[in-house]
């Protein structure tokens, strides 16, 4: 086992919707219990305060822009089962969370396909101002055919999306640089608000984007948001290595995580940046109880509330493949799936500790939707803390993005029961040493 290094980083991974990443979650009594509604700010503000009490780096919101309808060609299974539907705009929620916290980072998702760079720079600068320098941007290119149809825009081929996104980031960089950091004078006596010598208009004529002007927002506390990216394809990893400060991957074992970390380090160096410039973080679904049996009972209670239609709608929507066409009792090796999805099923078999002969299509789909591929970490506080420390050390990654089995109580349990053990092991901060999100990701001392 590798020696501990630096500090473990922890964020949550949520959506602004009834379900998170376990599709029976909304039916579980402890999910948004009495007094909370998922569509109102109170439950999210409560979680933000709890996460800041636990010294988490950030609250990270994924996003989804249209309802899935790949399963049976119908929206009904998605909508009836609240499978990532409806999803409200998390960027609007973030200032409400900033108002009840002082240090917690607040990250949102914005698609390079559906937001022009000029508008994106203004929106994100506004959020960084309103949060006091705590905003992070999850860069996505959007792959869903349902989203493309909703916007009336043709879906670009996979690798072309990253070519376009590369130009997007070039224009974003120009717009961020169009104001020098000290351009704002606010000199009442002289009557000069802005030093126009420190403003540099952008003239960009590209293949995908044109822009003539300057960013229409003052430089924000961080200058630009902290940049996250989650592409796992070769094109996605290269894009991440060039632009991102942190990346997010969903993998089954510490060995796979270590391979990913090593690969990203190599790609980042080839992109002309230091190998450690991109912090690699991995998806988990922690479930903690006073005992292992209590934790597993919680886990199973939520899993039992998810019907097969919900599971099928989830995997069909996220892969674009209609799973109603396959025999649910067939072996996953006997259905015509693309190589990438066979790799997903191999990951699921590793989660379940099953051999390739044991898993049917129905079993694989069920396991996929139980945690949306996030690695379950289940047990007593000591078991969960020990497993996280082992994964963190062996993966050589920066830390984890945690999706809830139910919310908000799962995070309170983690903060009360697991965080003190991580702090005692000297792998997690006692306090923040900075005020901005970029400070948290750079922190290497325990603080406090």
């Amino acid at each position: 086992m590798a020696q501990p290094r630096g500090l473990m980083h922890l964020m949550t991974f949520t959506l602004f919707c009834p379900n998170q990443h376990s599709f029976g979650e909304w039916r579980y009594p402890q999910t948004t219990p009495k007094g909370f509604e998922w569509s109102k700010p109170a439950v999210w503000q409560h979680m933000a305060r709890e996460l800041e009490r636990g010294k988490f780096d950030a609250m990270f919101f994924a996003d989804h822009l249209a309802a899935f309808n790949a399963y049976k060609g119908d929206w009904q299974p998605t909508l009836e089962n609240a499978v990532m539907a409806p999803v409200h705009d998390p960027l609007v929620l973030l200032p409400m969370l900033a108002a009840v916290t002082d240090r917690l980072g607040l990250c949102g998702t914005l698609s390079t396909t559906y937001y022009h760079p000029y508008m994106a720079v203004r929106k994100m600068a506004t959020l960084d101002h309103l949060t006091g320098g705590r905003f992070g941007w999850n860069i996505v290119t959007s792959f869903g055919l349902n989203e493309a149809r909703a916007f009336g825009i043709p879906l670009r081929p996979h690798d072309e999306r990253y070519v376009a996104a590369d130009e997007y980031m070039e224009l974003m960089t120009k717009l961020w640089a169009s104001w020098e950091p000290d351009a704002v004078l606010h000199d009442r006596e002289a009557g000069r608000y802005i030093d126009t010598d420190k403003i540099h208009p952008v003239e960009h004529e590209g293949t995908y984007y044109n822009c003539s002007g300057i960013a229409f927002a003052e430089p924000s506390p961080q200058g630009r948001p902290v940049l996250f990216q989650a592409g796992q394809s070769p094109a996605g990893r290269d894009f991440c290595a060039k632009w991102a400060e942190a990346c997010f991957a969903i993998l089954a074992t510490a060995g796979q995580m270590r391979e990913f970390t090593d690969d990203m380090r190599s790609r980042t160096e080839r992109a002309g940046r230091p190998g450690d410039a991109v912090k690699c973080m991995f998806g988990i679904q922690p479930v903690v109880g006073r005992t292992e049996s209590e934790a597993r009972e919680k886990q199973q209670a939520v899993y039992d509330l998810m019907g097969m239609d919900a599971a099928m709608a989830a995997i069909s929507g996220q892969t674009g493949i209609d799973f109603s066409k396959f025999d649910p009792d067939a072996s996953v090796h006997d259905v015509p799936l693309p190589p990438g999805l066979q790799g997903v099923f191999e990951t699921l078999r590793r989660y379940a500790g099953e051999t390739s002969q044991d898993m049917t299509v129905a079993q694989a789909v069920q396991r996929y939707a139980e945690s949306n591929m996030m690695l379950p970490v289940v047990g007593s506080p000591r078991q969960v803390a020990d497993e996280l420390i082992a994964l963190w050390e062996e993966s050589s990654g920066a830390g984890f993005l945690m999706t809830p089995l139910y919310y908000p109580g799962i995070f309170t349990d983690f903060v009360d029961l697991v965080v003190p053990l991580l702090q005692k092991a000297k792998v997690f901060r006692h306090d923040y040493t900075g005020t901005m999100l970029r400070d948290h990701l750079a922190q290497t001392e325990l603080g406090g």
Side-chain angles (χ1 to χ4, degrees):
M1 182 181 295
Q3 292 299 309
R5 67 287 176 289
L7 293 177
M8 182 188 297
H9 296 275
L10 294 176
M11 303 183 186
T12 58
F13 185 50
T14 53
L15 292 100
F16 191 10
C17 70
N19 265 325
Q20 301 303 302
H21 295 101
S22 186
F23 299 110
E25 178 181 12
W26 71 278
R27 299 178 62 195
Y28 189 58
Q30 291 189 53
T31 295
T32 54
K34 187 175 180 180
F36 285 132
E37 296 178 52
W38 77 266
S39 60
K40 302 295 191 295
V43 68
W44 306 101
Q45 290 175 325
H46 172 78
M47 281 193 287
R49 286 190 291 262
E50 290 294 271
L51 295 169
E52 184 164 89
R53 180 170 68 88
K55 312 305 177 187
F56 274 54
D57 290 67
M59 196 169 183
F60 183 109
F61 284 88
D63 200 7
H64 185 60
L65 299 175
F68 294 144
N69 65 343
Y71 180 54
K72 300 180 179 178
D74 194 348
W75 283 299
Q76 182 179 353
T78 295
L79 298 177
E80 283 189 350
N81 293 285
V83 176
M84 292 189 179
V87 181
H88 291 183
D89 185 348
L91 297 182
V92 178
L93 177 64
L94 296 186
M96 298 183 186
L97 307 184
V100 299
T101 57
D102 297 312
R103 301 292 185 90
L104 183 72
L106 299 163
C107 305
T109 297
L110 190 143
S111 170
T112 61
T113 300
Y114 302 119
Y115 291 86
H116 191 279
Y118 179 76
M119 191 61 153
V121 163
R122 181 179 180 229
K123 185 180 291 289
M124 287 188 273
T126 302
L127 286 166
D128 203 42
H129 279 291
L130 292 175
T131 61
R134 294 185 279 148
F135 179 66
W137 172 26
N138 177 34
I139 308 168
V140 298
T141 60
S142 295
F143 63 88
L145 183 59
N146 56 330
E147 293 176 332
R149 287 171 174 167
F151 280 90
I153 298 174
L155 186 64
R156 293 183 181 127
H158 179 276
D159 284 4
E160 186 184 353
R161 291 203 308 272
Y162 282 107
V163 173
D166 199 61
E167 185 184 327
Y168 191 105
M169 296 306 299
E170 289 175 2
L171 177 51
M172 293 285 283
T173 300
K174 292 176 182 179
L175 287 165
W176 282 322
S178 64
W179 295 59
E180 292 184 27
D182 57 349
V184 177
L185 300 174
H186 201 92
D187 187 339
R188 295 176 187 269
E189 186 174 333
R192 294 183 71 207
Y193 190 82
I194 294 167
D195 181 350
T196 55
D197 289 337
K198 296 183 178 181
I199 300 295
H200 309 287
V202 171
E203 298 293 339
H204 180 92
E205 293 185 12
T207 303
Y208 299 96
Y209 302 100
N210 295 321
C211 181
S212 177
I214 61 172
F216 204 42
E218 292 184 14
S220 67
Q222 294 182 115
R224 63 182 67 187
V226 176
L227 304 180
F228 294 83
Q229 208 272 335
Q232 295 192 49
S233 68
R237 293 189 191 193
D238 283 341
F239 176 85
C240 181
K242 182 175 181 179
W243 297 107
E245 296 169 71
C247 61
F248 169 51
I250 301 171
L251 298 166
T253 67
Q256 290 178 338
M257 294 175 188
R258 182 57 184 257
E259 289 174 5
F260 180 90
T261 303
D262 290 345
D263 180 63
M264 282 306 306
R265 186 173 289 113
S266 296
R267 289 175 189 267
T268 305
E269 289 173 349
R270 289 199 297 272
R273 303 170 65 196
D276 61 355
V278 179
K279 293 186 179 295
C280 297
M281 304 186 72
F282 302 101
I284 60 169
Q285 186 187 72
V287 188
V288 61
R290 289 170 295 179
T291 64
E292 180 181 359
S293 62
E294 180 183 274
R296 295 201 178 278
E297 285 171 9
K298 286 183 188 179
Q299 181 188 46
Q300 196 58 50
V302 175
Y303 287 177
D304 286 345
L305 293 171
M306 180 181 62
M308 186 51 67
D309 261 7
M312 288 287 190
I315 196 169
S316 298
Q318 291 180 326
T319 63
I321 298 169
D322 182 1
F323 271 70
S324 70
K325 297 178 180 179
F326 304 134
D327 178 359
D329 296 322
S331 165
V332 293
H333 286 302
D334 295 337
V335 295
L337 297 174
L341 198 51
Q342 286 287 3
V344 167
F345 285 165
E346 179 58 36
T347 296
L348 293 168
R349 288 193 292 273
R350 294 189 190 190
Y351 285 174
E354 296 167 346
T355 66
S356 58
Q357 291 79 15
D358 291 332
M359 188 167 276
T360 66
V361 170
Q363 289 170 330
V365 169
Q366 182 80 17
R367 294 203 182 280
Y368 179 96
E370 285 172 346
S371 65
N372 207 41
M373 291 290 291
M374 306 293 169
L375 176 64
V377 179
V378 187
S380 68
R382 173 56 61 190
Q383 287 173 311
V384 171
D386 287 349
E387 185 170 351
L388 288 181
I389 292 170
L391 283 170
W392 175 69
E393 290 177 345
E394 293 170 21
S395 70
S396 195
F400 305 99
L401 269 67
M402 298 169 33
T403 191
L405 180 72
Y406 58 90
Y407 66 97
I410 198 84
F411 293 130
T412 296
D413 289 345
F414 190 93
V415 168
D416 286 341
L417 301 173
V418 180
V419 165
L421 298 178
L422 298 176
Q423 292 170 331
K424 187 176 181 180
K426 298 183 179 180
V427 301
F428 189 67
R429 66 169 62 90
H430 291 289
D431 203 356
Y432 303 103
T433 56
T435 61
M436 300 185 193
L437 176 54
R438 193 168 278 112
D439 298 332
H440 304 342
L441 287 173
Q443 184 175 343
T444 58
E445 300 296 329
L446 290 170

